[in-house]
Amino acid sequence: MGTVTEAEAMRRAIALAARGLGSTSPNPVVGCVVLDARGRTLGEGWHRRAGGPHAEVEALRDAAESGHDVRGATAVVTLEPCNHTGRTGPCAQALIDAGIGRVVYAVADPNPTATGGAATLAAAGVDTAGGLLADEAAAGNTAWLTAVLRRRPFVLWKYAATLDGRSAAADGTSRWITSAESRADVHRLRAEADAVVVGSGTLRADDPHLAVRGVDGASQPLRVVVDTHATIRPTARVLDAAAPTLVAVAEDADTRHLAGALTVRLPRAEAGLDIPALLAELYAREVRSVLLEGGATLAGAFLAAGVVDRVVGYLAPALLGAGPAVLGDAGIGTIARALRLDVTDVARLGPDLRITATPLVPPLVSVPATTPEGN
């Protein structure tokens, strides 16, 4: 499948790909490293932004600018080279034209409009192998893979709470439960997301701004307010010009006071708006990843709809004993129906703990049983 040197190069390519998080949507993050016959790096690159050169082209350009001949070299790529012409040309053909002799990729491209690059490479006589460190590469591209395979945005629910699970005190005060370190980390999550979603309750209680701060070069995500009855005030901070904002309301809501705001009308659900319809609307707007920040009620609705893909909880070493819980009704009435999670990471941020977990569901990505081979 791959040599030790190629595996090392793949890990480097995965790290390069991560630099594109928050900038490439609706495209995936991809990294590429070009090696010579002795395993030395000739060039490397990553997909920096949607519409810009793909990782393979960046790596070939880097090699050329360094004066290296890539004929017969090996390209190590985190995702199967694309096979279609969109805003850029097909990467499979670019590799063939450059004279690359071997291509090793991690994850097969599940996008029906772009897949087939491996077959094109093999047909051109390029030695091609897939599946190297597929799980590691897929983990770095989880949001995009989820969006492609499930036809909806990837949803990360973030919350902050005391150790006894309270999001605010009994009198409603909530700033600041967690530390400055945790709040800075939330801005990192915002910078990596295409959209940040809150509910009307959070808007009324906290008047959040929801824009990214303190992250160099970050693209501002779309701010989304789920506001069934259109109760948002025109003076809400989220409606300023710092980032785009979309207000989702019910089909019969009165929005005359929001004449200058971007709104979308969605069908009602049993309580609030139809969450799958909201995600479908965001997907149609090329949103591939959502950071859900807003409130216990909205979080419960997302969980009840079965659309939460990852949970990140920031736990402060404090106890309140009373006050609102972080999660509202999620349609779970008995312990047998509890949504079980797999804890994938625990980190210390200042005095707080950050716990990352994913629902126990089958993996989205499977490594092909066979890989195409060239000469």
Side-chain angles (χ1 to χ4, degrees), residues 175-251:
R175 295 186 180 183
W176 296 102
I177 285 179
T178 53
S179 65
E181 292 87 346
S182 291
R183 298 196 297 274
D185 197 60
V186 171
H187 283 280
R188 175 188 62 82
L189 293 182
R190 287 180 183 174
E192 293 178 357
D194 295 339
V196 179
V197 180
V198 298
S200 57
T202 297
L203 208 68
R204 287 191 296 271
D206 299 333
D207 193 21
H209 192 226
L210 300 181
V212 177
R213 299 188 303 275
V215 180
D216 292 339
S219 299
Q220 292 293 346
L222 175 68
R223 299 177 293 186
V224 180
V225 179
V226 181
D227 188 9
T228 305
H229 304 290
T231 59
I232 183 173
R233 297 183 302 273
T235 56
R237 296 174 66 215
V238 77
L239 294 179
D240 69 7
T245 300
L246 176 69
V247 183
V249 302
E251 293 168 324

Side-chain angles (χ1 to χ4, degrees), residues 127-354:
D127 182 25
T128 309
L132 179 63
L133 302 185
D135 289 344
E136 292 181 33
N141 233 347
T142 298
W144 180 80
L145 288 167
T146 298
V148 170
L149 295 170
R150 294 183 175 167
R151 308 297 296 175
R152 64 158 176 83
F154 173 88
V155 176
L156 187 159
W157 171 42
K158 159 264 166 187
Y159 70 88
T162 60
L163 284 183
D164 56 341
R166 305 294 177 177
S167 62
D171 64 357
T173 55
S174 61
R175 295 186 180 183
W176 296 102
I177 285 179
T178 53
S179 65
E181 292 87 346
S182 291
R183 298 196 297 274
D185 197 60
V186 171
H187 283 280
R188 175 188 62 82
L189 293 182
R190 287 180 183 174
E192 293 178 357
D194 295 339
V196 179
V197 180
V198 298
S200 57
T202 297
L203 208 68
R204 287 191 296 271
D206 299 333
D207 193 21
H209 192 226
L210 300 181
V212 177
R213 299 188 303 275
V215 180
D216 292 339
S219 299
Q220 292 293 346
L222 175 68
R223 299 177 293 186
V224 180
V225 179
V226 181
D227 188 9
T228 305
H229 304 290
T231 59
I232 183 173
R233 297 183 302 273
T235 56
R237 296 174 66 215
V238 77
L239 294 179
D240 69 7
T245 300
L246 176 69
V247 183
V249 302
E251 293 168 324
D252 58 350
D254 183 354
T255 59
R256 285 175 292 180
H257 64 296
L258 297 175
L262 178 63
T263 60
V264 60
R265 295 182 181 275
L266 298 174
R268 292 177 181 266
E270 184 175 339
L273 297 181
D274 185 289
I275 298 302
L278 170 66
L279 292 179
E281 176 66 29
L282 293 177
Y283 185 87
R285 294 172 182 265
E286 295 196 334
V287 169
R288 298 296 180 260
S289 60
V290 163
L291 177 62
L292 175 61
E293 290 202 38
T297 300
L298 191 60
F302 269 75
L303 283 166
V307 294
V308 172
D309 301 296
R310 182 178 295 163
V311 178
V312 175
Y314 297 88
L315 300 181
L319 301 172
L320 285 172
V326 295
L327 181 61
D329 183 9
I332 300 170
T334 178
I335 192 66
R337 295 189 59 204
L339 178 62
R340 300 294 179 177
L341 307 174
D342 175 31
V343 175
T344 58
D345 182 69
V346 177
R348 184 80 177 258
L349 298 179
D352 306 328
L353 285 181
R354 183 190 66 200

